[in-house]
Amino acid sequence: MKIQPRQIEAFLKKPDPSVRVVLVYGPDNGLMKERVAKLGKTVVDDLNDPFNVAILSGDILTEDPARLSDEANAQSMMGGDRLIRIENASDKLTVLLKAYLEAPSNQALVLVEADNLTPSSSLRKLCEKEKNAAALPCYVEDQRGLMPLIRDSLRYAGYDISPDALAWLATNIQGDRGRVRNELDKLVTYMGPDKAWEGEEGPPVPNRLGIVQLDDVQACSGEAGAQSLDDLVYAVADRRTKSAMMSFQKLLAEGLPTIAILRALQNHFRRLHLVRSKMQEGQSLEQAVKSLRPPVFFKQERPFKAQAQNWGLLALNGVLTRLAQLEAQCKTSGAPAETLCAQAILSLSVKRAG
């Protein structure tokens, strides 16, 4: 069974009871762990329960294939269903899981965790095809996908957020879900008390602690990973090759997925393209930049305006086309995403604007 994006939230809350094996995979390791935890808690209250939870690895099962069936069919001393987690899975487990799915335990849910798997992966194909298995992808979310998460997380903490602040934050904290959660926790701490709502039942309701404004998110998150992303995109658009490559390597060392880096570049050049388009329609540079939402951070206005003057529409069209093609290539091909991204950054940062 292939879980479509629109079906994910419903499946996480209430998995299909006929599904006995769920493959959770993708480049966003933080999102993968979060979804595994949600699925696991539909089976057990405590993910560390020594009686009802077994944690295995791909290497363990490669050496001892019978271990999966033994754990799944074992009777819990305390009663209840069992949860089997398989970490660091790969295509080496395809044959084993195919055999297991022919006669799976009805008292155990098997969660299989894997890194990014291409459409040609035998493990992914198996879980997408079998009726009693499911494949759940975990890709790095773009700005639009992050907005509901940001809004809901702050709502639980008792805050609303202004549209400008929401757009700026969604753009600047893209990346691994774990990193996003850390940035949101930091923002809540910065804002103050984190009491969410009165009562234990019903949906969370803001307790009117305040509205998170653009100044708040820029003060709290502007010097974090967002700063490193800004360093990269401004170095590329300024054609400072050495600085661009150094920023790129720093972001990789911090664990930021290449897709998030590509989207940051796309967002920056898209904003430059919008400004140039408005200027071609008759607006002044100042008017066009001021119309951007979210607005350009005041410390970056001067270099942004210089870039808007140096890059022409034709060149910007070419950059956006290339970045979009590169993102698609990184998602579907077996080529190393980091190498492809590095080549693009190198090429764009030495490109003659015009």
Side-chain angles (χ1 to χ4, degrees):
M1 179 188 302
K2 186 175 182 179
I3 306 297
Q4 301 296 334
R6 66 181 181 277
Q7 302 171 320
I8 290 176
E9 289 304 316
F11 184 83
L12 290 173
K13 293 177 181 177
K14 189 176 181 181
D16 186 333
S18 67
V19 172
R20 297 289 85 202
V21 172
V22 181
L23 169 65
V24 189
Y25 71 95
D28 191 334
N29 186 69
L31 182 58
M32 180 182 71
K33 295 296 184 184
E34 187 172 299
R35 288 176 172 173
V36 165
K38 286 184 178 180
L39 287 170
K41 288 186 176 181
T42 65
V43 180
V44 296
D45 293 329
D46 182 2
L47 296 177
N48 296 312
D49 185 338
F51 300 105
N52 287 338
V53 178
I55 301 178
L56 308 173
S57 70
D59 291 340
I60 288 176
L61 292 177
T62 299
E63 296 177 3
D64 184 10
R67 182 79 177 272
L68 173 59
S69 181
D70 291 345
E71 292 287 358
N73 290 289
Q75 295 296 316
S76 170
M77 294 176 60
M78 307 302 292
D81 291 342
R82 285 175 57 78
L83 175 68
I84 314 300
R85 291 179 55 185
I86 302 175
E87 300 177 330
N88 301 317
S90 67
D91 286 348
K92 293 179 181 180
L93 296 183
T94 303
V95 174
L96 171 60
L97 285 171
K98 181 176 177 61
Y100 174 78
L101 286 168
E102 293 176 359
S105 168
N106 291 323
Q107 282 73 48
L109 177 64
V110 179
L111 298 181
V112 184
E113 304 173 28
D115 290 333
N116 197 24
L117 299 174
T118 66
S120 63
S121 161
S122 60
L123 181 59
R124 176 175 165 180
K125 284 183 177 179
L126 172 70
C127 293
E128 289 178 344
K129 176 183 176 182
E130 298 297 328
K131 294 182 179 180
N132 56 353
L136 198 162
C138 298
Y139 294 115
V140 177
E141 293 174 304
D142 58 15
Q143 180 181 3
R144 181 179 298 179
L146 280 180
M147 283 184 172
L149 171 67
I150 293 171
R151 195 182 296 113
D152 291 346
S153 297
L154 292 175
R155 189 172 173 81
Y156 266 78
Y159 292 96
D160 285 321
I161 183 169
S162 70
D164 281 357
L166 177 62
W168 190 94
L169 195 58
T171 298
N172 285 281
I173 66 171
Q174 292 181 49
D176 181 275
R177 177 61 68 91
R179 174 179 178 270
V180 172
R181 289 289 189 192
N182 287 338
E183 287 298 315
L184 292 177
D185 289 344
K186 186 171 69 174
L187 177 59
V188 169
T189 301
Y190 172 85
M191 292 298 296
D194 60 357
K195 181 181 178 184
W197 67 92
E198 299 294 336
E200 297 180 355
E201 298 182 356
V205 177
N207 61 4
R208 304 188 185 281
L209 288 177
I211 298 176
V212 178
Q213 301 288 356
L214 180 61
D215 288 347
D216 297 317
V217 297
Q218 289 179 337
C220 182
S221 299
E223 300 301 324
Q227 184 62 57
S228 297
L229 273 172
D230 284 343
D231 290 342
L232 172 65
V233 298
Y234 276 86
V236 171
D238 283 339
R239 303 191 305 282
R240 292 183 281 112
T241 305
K242 183 176 179 180
S243 295
M245 296 307 296
M246 288 177 63
S247 296
F248 177 60
Q249 293 302 324
K250 180 180 178 182
L251 289 167
L252 292 181
E254 292 174 354
L256 193 67
T258 53
I259 293 298
I261 295 172
L262 288 174
R263 286 178 180 166
L265 287 165
Q266 287 174 309
N267 180 68
H268 185 76
F269 279 97
R270 191 177 295 118
R271 282 159 66 84
L272 289 173
H273 186 278
L274 180 59
V275 167
R276 289 294 301 194
S277 297
K278 288 179 178 292
M279 290 171 64
Q280 186 164 298
E281 293 171 359
Q283 290 190 16
S284 67
L285 173 62
E286 190 73 22
Q287 290 173 324
V289 172
K290 289 294 184 185
S291 70
L292 290 176
R293 292 293 179 272
V296 178
F297 193 33
F298 74 93
K299 293 181 180 179
Q300 298 163 342
E301 278 192 16
R302 181 177 295 179
F304 185 89
K305 289 177 180 178
Q307 292 169 9
Q309 290 179 310
N310 291 334
W311 285 85
L313 277 177
L314 184 61
L316 290 169
N317 282 331
V319 171
L320 290 173
T321 299
R322 178 172 183 182
L323 290 174
Q325 293 173 342
L326 181 57
E327 179 178 348
Q329 188 178 7
C330 288
K331 288 179 178 179
T332 59
S333 75
E338 291 183 6
T339 300
L340 291 172
C341 194
Q343 291 173 343
I345 289 171
L346 180 63
S347 174
L348 292 176
S349 64
V350 298
K351 182 180 179 66
R352 174 184 290 274

